[in-house]
């Protein structure tokens, strides 16, 4: 693998998101994680970027991915930390530490759900948050990140 990833966005998905498309379609839709990762790859390519997509059910591994993004000089992070969004000061601290422009995505509208989902620790480390657009939130997040970085879509 190349030492740096200066044209790469890390797309990080947290616990249980590997189950997308298999359960709770009324909340999370029918698309799978593979569909999400293809959407991210296709959207990134429109901006001349690459999406390095990772999913983990473990908090520490997600933190390692964030550190790796810094080491590889990734230009941005898209993160859906799943349930850890609402609990993890450690993930918040990792995102703050690496100082990489970050967008938080939630497939569902967390603010229209149970009160324990209304607060996100990780959102405080992101410059923007998208919630409730379904998996299209990932496409919108990458477009917004590219705009923030001053990168225009290729003709
Ligand atoms: O709406 C989102 O994207 C969430 O981050 C998803 C998390 C949830 O804990 C957050 O509050 C909001 C849960 C991901 C679980 O994904 C599943 C997908 C299909 C079936 C079961 C779980």
């Amino acid at each position: 693998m190349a030492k740096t990833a200066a044209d790469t966005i890390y797309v990080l998905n947290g616990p249980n998101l590997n189950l997308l498309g298999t359960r709770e379609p009324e909340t999370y839709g029918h698309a799978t994680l593979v569909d999400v990762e293809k959407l991210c790859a296709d959207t990134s390519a429109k901006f001349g970027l690459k999406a390095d997509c990772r999913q983990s059910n473990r908090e520490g591994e997600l933190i390692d991915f964030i550190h790796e993004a810094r080491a590889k000089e990734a230009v941005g992070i898209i993160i859906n930390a799943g349930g850890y969004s609402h609990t993890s000061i450690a993930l918040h601290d990792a995102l703050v530490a690496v100082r990489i422009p970050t967008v938080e995505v939630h497939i569902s509208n967390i603010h229209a759900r149970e009160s324990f989902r209304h607060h996100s620790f990780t959102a405080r480390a992101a410059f923007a948050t998208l919630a409730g657009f379904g998996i299209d939130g990932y496409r919108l997040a990458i477009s917004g990140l590219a705009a923030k970085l001053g990168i225009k879509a290729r003709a």
Side-chain angles (χ1 to χ4, degrees), residues 23 30 37 45 49 59 77 79 82 93 97 102 108:
R23 287 173 218 162
H30 292 280
E37 293 182 350
L49 297 167
E59 188 177 18
I77 294 174
I79 187 164
D93 290 349
T102 295
S108 63

Side-chain angles (χ1 to χ4, degrees), residues 15-17 19-20 23-24 28 80 82-83 86 105-108 110 113 117:
N16 299 308
L17 286 156
L19 299 177
L20 271 181
R23 287 173 218 162
E24 301 184 51
Y28 300 114
N80 181 351
H86 316 299
V105 173
H106 294 286
I107 295 166
S108 63
I110 55 174
R113 298 183 65 192
R117 296 186 203 277

Side-chain angles (χ1 to χ4, degrees), residues 31-154:
T32 66
L33 185 62
V34 170
D35 296 328
V36 169
E37 293 182 350
K38 182 174 185 326
L39 175 64
C40 291
D42 291 349
T43 307
S44 298
K46 287 184 181 150
F47 295 96
L49 297 167
K50 296 188 189 100
D52 192 329
C53 300
R54 313 287 181 88
Q55 187 274 333
S56 179
N57 295 321
R58 288 176 287 282
E59 188 177 18
E61 188 168 31
L62 290 164
I63 291 169
D64 288 342
F65 293 155
I66 293 166
H67 294 173
E68 182 186 308
R70 174 72 269 163
K72 298 282 174 65
E73 299 178 15
V75 293
I77 294 174
I78 307 295
I79 187 164
N80 181 351
Y84 287 144
S85 313
H86 316 299
T87 64
S88 180
I89 295 169
L91 273 171
H92 162 275
D93 290 349
L95 290 168
V96 169
V98 298
R99 298 170 61 107
I100 297 172
T102 295
V103 182
E104 173 156 310
V105 173
H106 294 286
I107 295 166
S108 63
N109 180 359
I110 55 174
H111 302 290
R113 298 183 65 192
E114 304 97 322
S115 58
F116 60 81
R117 296 186 203 277
H118 294 180
H119 178 262
S120 167
F121 284 101
T122 44
R124 202 175 152 80
F127 75 82
T129 301
L130 287 157
F133 285 104
I135 72 160
D136 204 35
Y138 291 85
R139 182 184 65 78
L140 296 167
I142 291 170
S143 298
L145 176 62
K148 181 85 170 175
L149 297 171
I151 300 170
K152 292 192 167 52
R154 295 186 163 182

